[in-house]
Amino acid sequence: DVKVTQSSRYLVKRTGEKVFLECVQDMDHENMFWYRQDPGLGLRLIYFSYDVKMKEKGDIPEGYSVSREKKERFSLILESASTNQTSMYLCASSQGMGGKNIQYFGAGTRLSVL
Amino acid sequence: GQQLNQSPQSMFIQEGEDVSMNCTSSSIFNTWLWYKQDPGEGPVLLIALYKAGELTSNGRLTAQFGITRKDSFLNISASIPSDVGIYFCAGGGSQGNLIFGKGTKLSVKP
């Protein structure tokens, strides 16, 4: 079974802090994704990566950056957390081209910024 | 950009009833996926569809890939309390990204 592990289920941070959300997958997938989920807005793509050291902006990249130094790990960074970044963050991974688009999700990190 | 319209937004039904939800788009997709998200968890894949007109079942769940490739539906028969959750459709193109609907929140009354 594919396993996508997010390092924290719950995080509480203060405004202005630098926040790291970590995600690891164990299926040698090429693609990794970060989404945020808010009530009524569904899943919105923040950043994705098709390969190590590669990153592409999604629909809402402002206020976020990412790092992919190893194939299995994709980190989401909030340089200076703000209260409007309080949300559920979901990491996902998928095979590369020909992998039939299926994304496998982690359990999510619920981040509260005070 | 591409958008999916998923309806209904929420459903409150009696245990044993059948459920139907759908997604439509103005764009064509190569793949339609249906996910379920339990409270406090990440989405889990239920059904994947790859061909226009394809009808696929997974237990009490049945989903179809619309013939125009712009829509899909999911049916749940004889609902039970553990069907509670949020159901998402997702359309996939050739680049590997998925476009997600906003979800259908299902509540089941015993």
Side-chain angles (χ1 to χ4, degrees):
Chain A
D1 274 355
V2 175
K3 190 149 183 162
V4 179
T5 304
Q6 294 184 230
S7 54
S8 304
R9 293 297 301 270
Y10 300 94
L11 272 180
V12 180
K13 297 292 181 181
R14 297 214 172 271
T15 303
E17 276 193 74
K18 190 168 185 175
V19 181
F20 293 86
L21 303 184
E22 306 286 347
C23 176
V24 176
Q25 50 95 1
D26 67 356
M27 282 301 291
D28 202 36
H29 282 169
E30 279 79 21
N31 306 330
M32 296 189 76
F33 307 83
W34 275 106
Y35 297 88
R36 65 176 282 176
Q37 181 178 21
D38 301 288
L41 297 179
L43 296 164
R44 293 183 291 167
L45 182 64
I46 304 172
Y47 267 97
F48 59 100
S49 169
Y50 285 143
D51 202 349
V52 176
K53 296 198 187 291
M54 249 213 55
K55 60 185 179 185
E56 297 282 346
K57 292 180 181 178
D59 299 318
I60 51 163
E62 296 78 20
Y64 303 94
S65 62
V66 289
S67 171
R68 192 156 181 212
E69 295 296 318
K70 292 186 178 180
K71 191 175 185 180
E72 67 270 19
R73 186 180 296 269
F74 193 34
S75 303
L76 180 69
I77 303 153
L78 287 65
E79 295 289 342
S80 177
S82 63
T83 54
N84 63 13
Q85 291 178 310
T86 291
S87 187
M88 172 76 140
Y89 289 88
L90 291 163
C91 174
S93 73
S94 69
Q95 283 184 315
M97 294 294 287
K100 298 191 172 181
N101 293 114
I102 295 175
Q103 291 184 17
Y104 298 87
F105 285 85
T109 296
R110 188 164 291 282
L111 173 67
S112 296
V113 182
L114 306 177
Chain B
Q2 293 176 309
Q3 287 189 344
L4 291 185
N5 298 310
Q6 184 171 352
S7 65
Q9 282 187 322
S10 62
M11 304 182 75
F12 191 82
I13 62 167
Q14 197 79 29
E15 183 178 359
E17 286 184 5
D18 296 344
V19 172
S20 186
M21 59 191 80
N22 69 82
C23 276
T24 61
S25 174
S26 57
S27 303
I28 288 173
F29 290 104
N30 297 329
T31 305
W32 281 97
L33 305 175
W34 285 92
Y35 287 86
K36 183 195 176 197
Q37 184 179 27
D38 290 327
E41 299 293 330
V44 173
L45 182 71
L46 297 173
I47 292 180
L49 302 158
Y50 298 109
K51 278 197 253 184
E54 180 181 356
L55 184 73
T56 296
S57 292
N58 178 6
R60 292 179 296 106
L61 278 60
T62 301
Q64 185 158 31
F65 192 139
I67 199 77
T68 65
R69 294 166 62 194
K70 293 182 180 181
D71 62 336
S72 178
F73 72 75
L74 175 71
N75 287 342
I76 305 172
S77 63
S79 58
I80 58 178
S82 62
D83 290 334
V84 162
I86 303 176
Y87 292 79
F88 290 99
C89 63
S94 56
Q95 300 300 313
N97 278 13
L98 292 176
I99 308 298
F100 284 88
K102 287 188 167 51
T104 296
K105 185 174 182 180
L106 179 64
S107 301
V108 180
K109 187 177 177 182

